[in-house]
Amino acid sequence: METIKNNKGFGNWIRTSITARMLMIGFIILVLLIPLIFIKELIRERASRQQDVVQEVGNLWGEEVLFMGPILKVPYKTYTESTKMVTGTKSVITERTSKIKYAYFFPDDLEIDARVDAVKKERGIYETSVFSSEMNFTGSFSVPNFAQNDVKSEDVLWQKATILIKTSNLKGIKNQIEMQLGGSKTKFLPKYKQSDSDGTYHPNYLAMHELESAFLNETALPKVGRINFTTLMTVNGSSRIRFVPVGEQTTLHMTSNWEDPSFTGNFLPEEDADESVTNEGFEANWKVLQTNRQFEQAFFGQLPNLSSFSFGTDLLVPVDEYQKSERSAKYGYLVIALTFLVFFLIQTISTINIHPFQYLMIGLALVMFYTLLISISEHQNFLKAYAIASTAVIGLISLYSQSILKSIKFVLFIFTSLTALYTFIFVIIQLESYALLVGSIGLFCILAIVMFASRKIDWARA
């Protein structure tokens, strides 16, 4: 009989104790963390699939465009001397051997006029941007200064000088590239290259392929004076177009029909660029001087990878639905905890009993919000997806709470609380600079409301 009384006492404590309710709610919240973790993984997986589509379309149409050049490439002789003793004698002879190296000279001025016509490409439910660009390059080379590297004029092999162009997207080039250089015209052909000029691997840089001209004619060589050049290139690409400012003064004028550009790289366009962005496209201008960058106008021996100094424009399709969905999922713990807190306060203040299974059903409904949000946002904008998902979940929980609470005033309180909570989370997601400030103020207000509402709870019977 004593055992039965003890069991009845423990069961009654489970049903009536505030502490037991709090422990039960905490345990259910911990259980619900598991599906929330899976939802975050789902969001990352869908976002990764979007990036796979971007790469797949880029491989078919043409990858991002990174351009560096034109560069004057001139071979020259270097000499090394070695001494050795002749066998059987005491005489020493000196041997002098020559080796061919290359000097790379950048243009004095480089003007680029780029027209970028972009369109959206769809692959299933995903979108990415591709473009076709017509780029006109004009500029000039001055007489190379070999004396700075102690190279004598008779050691310069002018007859084997060429022009070098480096790009990340050979596949996307759509015209035979010819350059008018001085009094002659020269064509460019791809050059097989296994590694960077310095023989090292750069994991953060794009692989740069080379186009090289034939040996230059005498009229195309800047041996005694400045030589002007002009060339036209048409290229297909995707997502991004950038240029390395190799000119002593590099200017870029870019126009496009893309209405949502993101200017990127080491140099931003002139101040009026943002004002030139309209629904019909954008127009931007850059001007980069040699003093603005961290490399010289000539390199002897090897040409380093300078892609980290590039600048240009990203033409990405704005896909922030997954980022916003991931941010909203980070507040999932807060939404579940506050919703359970509302039901806990109602249960504690009133005489209504809420079973743990009912708490679990409410928690699962809150978790379902995020799967609805992800799936709907892939077909609608984030605002519509959020409104549909939150309305469905709020309506479901409100109707379910009607069967639990048996009071319309409590149901209206639940409806109002959830509506305010989801609106608060949406506002925080949209904000960037003020997200922490608004979130802190909101949580402070929630804490004040909870403290005020819990004053009448008899914690002595906890």
Side-chain angles (χ1 to χ4, degrees):
M1 294 295 294
E2 184 178 355
T3 303
I4 296 175
K5 288 181 179 180
N6 289 339
N7 288 338
K8 286 184 177 180
F10 180 76
N12 183 64
W13 178 81
I14 290 292
R15 290 192 301 271
T16 60
S17 172
I18 297 176
T19 301
R21 293 174 188 171
M22 294 174 64
L23 292 174
M24 177 267 297
I25 292 174
F27 176 75
I28 294 176
I29 291 176
L30 290 176
V31 171
L32 292 173
L33 295 184
I34 298 174
L36 278 177
I37 292 174
F38 281 112
I39 287 173
K40 290 182 179 179
E41 289 297 326
L42 176 63
I43 294 173
R44 283 190 281 268
E45 179 185 344
R46 304 297 285 183
S48 176
R49 175 56 183 157
Q50 166 71 28
Q51 295 303 316
D52 291 341
V53 169
V54 172
Q55 184 175 358
E56 182 180 350
V57 173
N59 290 336
L60 295 174
W61 177 269
E63 299 175 350
E64 66 175 87
V65 174
L66 175 60
F67 188 89
M68 176 177 166
I71 303 165
L72 177 62
K73 178 181 176 182
V74 184
Y76 62 95
K77 291 181 179 180
T78 60
Y79 300 94
T80 56
E81 293 184 353
S82 61
T83 59
K84 67 177 183 178
M85 183 175 294
V86 179
T87 305
T89 67
K90 295 184 178 180
S91 61
V92 177
I93 61 174
T94 300
E95 292 183 348
R96 189 184 191 198
T97 58
S98 64
K99 183 180 180 180
I100 302 298
K101 291 187 177 181
Y102 294 91
Y104 303 89
F105 299 95
F106 297 156
D108 287 358
D109 56 272
L110 175 62
E111 297 181 5
I112 309 169
D113 187 6
R115 169 65 191 177
V116 182
D117 295 318
V119 295
K120 291 182 180 180
K121 289 287 185 181
E122 296 183 357
R123 181 62 59 90
I125 62 174
Y126 302 103
E127 288 184 340
T128 185
S129 63
V130 298
F131 61 85
S132 180
S133 178
E134 185 176 281
M135 303 177 293
N136 187 31
F137 299 83
T138 58
S140 61
F141 288 101
S142 60
V143 179
N145 181 13
F146 282 93
Q148 62 179 311
N149 207 49
D150 297 328
V151 178
K152 298 179 181 179
S153 58
E154 60 267 22
D155 292 328
V156 179
L157 305 178
W158 284 108
Q159 69 276 15
K160 294 186 178 181
T162 60
I163 297 293
L164 189 67
I165 292 176
K166 305 188 76 173
T167 180
S168 63
N169 190 3
L170 283 179
K171 182 179 180 179
I173 297 176
K174 296 303 175 184
N175 69 314
Q176 174 62 55
I177 301 177
E178 297 182 339
M179 176 177 286
Q180 184 68 40
L181 185 64
S184 62
K185 184 177 292 187
T186 183
K187 292 183 179 181
F188 288 81
L189 293 175
K191 179 182 178 183
Y192 178 73
K193 182 167 138 330
Q194 292 180 317
S195 62
D196 291 331
S197 298
D198 56 2
T200 59
Y201 172 67
H202 301 277
N204 297 325
Y205 299 157
L206 284 178
M208 296 289 282
H209 309 285
E210 293 183 355
L211 291 167
E212 191 168 8
S213 71
F215 296 144
L216 300 180
N217 296 329
E218 188 71 21
T219 58
L221 295 174
K223 297 173 66 174
V224 294
R226 185 185 299 265
I227 294 293
N228 297 324
F229 65 83
T230 179
T231 187
L232 180 68
M233 178 185 293
T234 302
V235 61
N236 288 345
S238 61
S239 303
R240 179 180 298 170
I241 179 170
R242 293 180 295 158
F243 302 89
V244 178
V246 294
E248 187 173 347
Q249 175 177 298
T250 303
T251 58
L252 168 62
H253 176 70
M254 184 182 295
T255 57
S256 176
N257 62 337
W258 193 253
E259 70 277 5
D260 193 21
S262 176
F263 303 118
T264 184
N266 265 23
F267 307 96
L268 294 177
E270 296 177 354
E271 296 180 358
D272 59 348
D274 291 336
E275 300 177 1
S276 301
V277 179
T278 65
N279 293 332
E280 286 74 36
F282 72 90
E283 182 175 0
N285 295 281
W286 287 261
K287 182 178 181 180
V288 182
L289 304 177
Q290 181 184 2
T291 53
N292 303 140
R293 40 164 231 223
Q294 298 177 358
F295 59 88
E296 55 270 29
Q297 282 296 108
F299 289 92
F300 289 83
Q302 61 187 22
L303 181 63
N305 193 323
L306 302 175
S307 59
S308 60
F309 298 96
S310 63
F311 65 95
T313 305
D314 286 352
L315 304 173
L316 297 173
V317 176
V319 184
D320 58 352
E321 285 80 7
Y322 294 115
Q323 295 177 357
K324 291 180 179 179
S325 295
E326 186 172 6
R327 289 182 63 189
S328 65
K330 291 180 180 178
Y331 295 100
Y333 316 127
L334 177 65
V335 172
I336 294 173
L338 291 178
T339 303
F340 280 8
L341 179 61
V342 172
F343 279 93
F344 169 76
L345 292 175
I346 293 175
Q347 180 182 5
T348 305
I349 295 173
S350 67
T351 58
I352 300 171
N353 184 37
I354 303 178
H355 195 273
F357 178 80
Q358 294 170 323
Y359 274 105
L360 182 61
M361 291 298 100
I362 294 170
L364 290 176
L366 295 171
V367 171
M368 280 296 299
F369 164 79
Y370 300 102
T371 57
L372 289 173
L373 179 62
I374 299 167
S375 57
I376 299 173
S377 65
E378 291 181 337
H379 303 277
Q380 299 289 337
N381 62 56
F382 186 80
L383 175 59
K384 289 183 180 179
Y386 194 95
I388 294 172
S390 59
T391 301
V393 172
I394 293 172
L396 177 61
I397 295 177
S398 299
L399 291 175
Y400 186 67
S401 64
Q402 171 65 33
S403 63
I404 302 173
L405 305 177
K406 308 294 184 181
S407 173
I408 190 64
K409 67 176 182 180
F410 287 142
V411 173
L412 290 176
F413 181 70
I414 293 295
F415 176 83
T416 304
S417 300
L418 288 175
T419 302
L421 180 59
Y422 277 108
T423 302
F424 172 63
I425 297 299
F426 181 79
V427 171
I428 293 179
I429 293 173
Q430 300 302 312
L431 296 175
E432 294 183 2
S433 301
Y434 297 97
L436 180 60
L437 176 62
V438 174
S440 301
I441 295 174
L443 291 176
F444 178 82
C445 295
I446 291 173
L447 176 61
I449 294 172
V450 172
M451 293 174 66
F452 180 82
S454 61
R455 290 179 307 156
K456 298 182 179 181
I457 297 178
D458 185 7
W459 297 102
R461 62 185 181 91

mmCIF file of all heavy atoms in Angstrom, residues 292-307:
data_model
loop_
_atom_site.group_PDB
_atom_site.id
_atom_site.type_symbol
_atom_site.label_atom_id
_atom_site.label_comp_id
_atom_site.label_asym_id
_atom_site.label_seq_id
_atom_site.Cartn_x
_atom_site.Cartn_y
_atom_site.Cartn_z
ATOM 1 N N ASN A 292 48.347 53.316 -57.728
ATOM 2 C CA ASN A 292 47.239 52.728 -56.966
ATOM 3 C C ASN A 292 47.415 51.240 -56.721
ATOM 4 O O ASN A 292 46.685 50.664 -55.914
ATOM 5 C CB ASN A 292 45.912 52.950 -57.693
ATOM 6 C CG ASN A 292 45.607 54.405 -57.957
ATOM 7 O OD1 ASN A 292 45.109 54.759 -59.009
ATOM 8 N ND2 ASN A 292 45.925 55.277 -56.991
ATOM 9 N N ARG A 293 48.335 50.608 -57.421
ATOM 10 C CA ARG A 293 48.496 49.159 -57.305
ATOM 11 C C ARG A 293 49.874 48.828 -56.774
ATOM 12 O O ARG A 293 50.704 49.723 -56.563
ATOM 13 C CB ARG A 293 48.300 48.480 -58.667
ATOM 14 C CG ARG A 293 48.924 49.238 -59.801
ATOM 15 C CD ARG A 293 49.096 48.498 -61.070
ATOM 16 N NE ARG A 293 50.440 48.607 -61.542
ATOM 17 C CZ ARG A 293 50.754 48.835 -62.825
ATOM 18 N NH1 ARG A 293 49.826 48.929 -63.746
ATOM 19 N NH2 ARG A 293 52.010 48.924 -63.192
ATOM 20 N N GLN A 294 50.156 47.564 -56.570
ATOM 21 C CA GLN A 294 51.384 47.154 -55.884
ATOM 22 C C GLN A 294 52.274 46.299 -56.782
ATOM 23 O O GLN A 294 52.868 45.321 -56.329
ATOM 24 C CB GLN A 294 51.029 46.389 -54.610
ATOM 25 C CG GLN A 294 50.247 47.214 -53.600
ATOM 26 C CD GLN A 294 49.859 46.411 -52.383
ATOM 27 O OE1 GLN A 294 50.141 45.224 -52.303
ATOM 28 N NE2 GLN A 294 49.198 47.049 -51.441
ATOM 29 N N PHE A 295 52.383 46.658 -58.039
ATOM 30 C CA PHE A 295 53.348 45.972 -58.901
ATOM 31 C C PHE A 295 53.853 46.952 -59.954
ATOM 32 O O PHE A 295 53.200 47.949 -60.279
ATOM 33 C CB PHE A 295 52.749 44.720 -59.553
ATOM 34 C CG PHE A 295 51.533 44.966 -60.405
ATOM 35 C CD1 PHE A 295 51.664 45.280 -61.752
ATOM 36 C CD2 PHE A 295 50.261 44.876 -59.870
ATOM 37 C CE1 PHE A 295 50.552 45.493 -62.553
ATOM 38 C CE2 PHE A 295 49.137 45.088 -60.653
ATOM 39 C CZ PHE A 295 49.282 45.396 -61.992
ATOM 40 N N GLU A 296 55.047 46.659 -60.463
ATOM 41 C CA GLU A 296 55.726 47.562 -61.383
ATOM 42 C C GLU A 296 55.248 47.346 -62.819
ATOM 43 O O GLU A 296 54.418 46.489 -63.088
ATOM 44 C CB GLU A 296 57.243 47.384 -61.279
ATOM 45 C CG GLU A 296 57.713 45.955 -61.487
ATOM 46 C CD GLU A 296 57.775 45.152 -60.197
ATOM 47 O OE1 GLU A 296 56.988 45.441 -59.281
ATOM 48 O OE2 GLU A 296 58.591 44.228 -60.137
ATOM 49 N N GLN A 297 55.865 48.092 -63.744
ATOM 50 C CA GLN A 297 55.477 48.045 -65.152
ATOM 51 C C GLN A 297 56.284 47.045 -65.965
ATOM 52 O O GLN A 297 55.982 46.840 -67.146
ATOM 53 C CB GLN A 297 55.640 49.425 -65.789
ATOM 54 C CG GLN A 297 54.522 50.416 -65.460
ATOM 55 C CD GLN A 297 53.188 49.963 -66.005
ATOM 56 O OE1 GLN A 297 52.310 49.546 -65.248
ATOM 57 N NE2 GLN A 297 53.002 50.027 -67.313
ATOM 58 N N ALA A 298 57.269 46.435 -65.376
ATOM 59 C CA ALA A 298 58.104 45.485 -66.119
ATOM 60 C C ALA A 298 58.556 44.377 -65.185
ATOM 61 O O ALA A 298 58.839 44.607 -64.000
ATOM 62 C CB ALA A 298 59.307 46.196 -66.738
ATOM 63 N N PHE A 299 58.614 43.158 -65.739
ATOM 64 C CA PHE A 299 59.111 42.002 -64.993
ATOM 65 C C PHE A 299 60.151 41.286 -65.857
ATOM 66 O O PHE A 299 59.941 41.088 -67.056
ATOM 67 C CB PHE A 299 57.971 41.036 -64.652
ATOM 68 C CG PHE A 299 57.032 41.567 -63.613
ATOM 69 C CD1 PHE A 299 55.895 42.282 -63.978
ATOM 70 C CD2 PHE A 299 57.273 41.362 -62.264
ATOM 71 C CE1 PHE A 299 55.023 42.772 -63.029
ATOM 72 C CE2 PHE A 299 56.410 41.843 -61.305
ATOM 73 C CZ PHE A 299 55.276 42.553 -61.678
ATOM 74 N N PHE A 300 61.244 40.903 -65.212
ATOM 75 C CA PHE A 300 62.306 40.187 -65.912
ATOM 76 C C PHE A 300 62.383 38.758 -65.370
ATOM 77 O O PHE A 300 62.386 38.549 -64.161
ATOM 78 C CB PHE A 300 63.649 40.897 -65.723
ATOM 79 C CG PHE A 300 63.756 42.195 -66.459
ATOM 80 C CD1 PHE A 300 63.229 43.363 -65.925
ATOM 81 C CD2 PHE A 300 64.367 42.246 -67.706
ATOM 82 C CE1 PHE A 300 63.327 44.560 -66.609
ATOM 83 C CE2 PHE A 300 64.465 43.433 -68.395
ATOM 84 C CZ PHE A 300 63.935 44.595 -67.852
ATOM 85 N N GLY A 301 62.479 37.804 -66.304
ATOM 86 C CA GLY A 301 62.628 36.411 -65.918
ATOM 87 C C GLY A 301 61.319 35.658 -65.840
ATOM 88 O O GLY A 301 61.172 34.579 -66.412
ATOM 89 N N GLN A 302 60.344 36.185 -65.124
ATOM 90 C CA GLN A 302 59.066 35.505 -64.991
ATOM 91 C C GLN A 302 57.955 36.525 -64.775
ATOM 92 O O GLN A 302 58.181 37.620 -64.259
ATOM 93 C CB GLN A 302 59.102 34.513 -63.836
ATOM 94 C CG GLN A 302 59.380 35.155 -62.486
ATOM 95 C CD GLN A 302 59.575 34.125 -61.388
ATOM 96 O OE1 GLN A 302 59.910 32.980 -61.664
ATOM 97 N NE2 GLN A 302 59.363 34.523 -60.135
ATOM 98 N N LEU A 303 56.760 36.140 -65.182
ATOM 99 C CA LEU A 303 55.589 36.996 -65.035
ATOM 100 C C LEU A 303 54.688 36.399 -63.953
ATOM 101 O O LEU A 303 54.145 35.314 -64.124
ATOM 102 C CB LEU A 303 54.831 37.082 -66.367
ATOM 103 C CG LEU A 303 53.581 37.966 -66.383
ATOM 104 C CD1 LEU A 303 53.948 39.414 -66.107
ATOM 105 C CD2 LEU A 303 52.872 37.836 -67.732
ATOM 106 N N PRO A 304 54.515 37.081 -62.826
ATOM 107 C CA PRO A 304 53.707 36.518 -61.743
ATOM 108 C C PRO A 304 52.217 36.565 -62.074
ATOM 109 O O PRO A 304 51.778 37.246 -63.000
ATOM 110 C CB PRO A 304 54.039 37.422 -60.556
ATOM 111 C CG PRO A 304 54.398 38.736 -61.187
ATOM 112 C CD PRO A 304 55.083 38.391 -62.485
ATOM 113 N N ASN A 305 51.453 35.824 -61.299
ATOM 114 C CA ASN A 305 49.998 35.852 -61.418
ATOM 115 C C ASN A 305 49.476 37.072 -60.670
ATOM 116 O O ASN A 305 49.600 37.159 -59.448
ATOM 117 C CB ASN A 305 49.401 34.568 -60.837
ATOM 118 C CG ASN A 305 47.931 34.402 -61.203
ATOM 119 O OD1 ASN A 305 47.182 35.363 -61.258
ATOM 120 N ND2 ASN A 305 47.539 33.165 -61.469
ATOM 121 N N LEU A 306 48.903 38.003 -61.397
ATOM 122 C CA LEU A 306 48.450 39.268 -60.819
ATOM 123 C C LEU A 306 46.933 39.348 -60.729
ATOM 124 O O LEU A 306 46.370 40.444 -60.602
ATOM 125 C CB LEU A 306 48.985 40.439 -61.655
ATOM 126 C CG LEU A 306 50.502 40.520 -61.811
ATOM 127 C CD1 LEU A 306 50.882 41.642 -62.767
ATOM 128 C CD2 LEU A 306 51.180 40.715 -60.459
ATOM 129 N N SER A 307 46.254 38.203 -60.780
ATOM 130 C CA SER A 307 44.792 38.223 -60.792
ATOM 131 C C SER A 307 44.199 38.766 -59.504
ATOM 132 O O SER A 307 43.054 39.204 -59.482
ATOM 133 C CB SER A 307 44.255 36.821 -61.060
ATOM 134 O OG SER A 307 44.698 35.907 -60.075
#
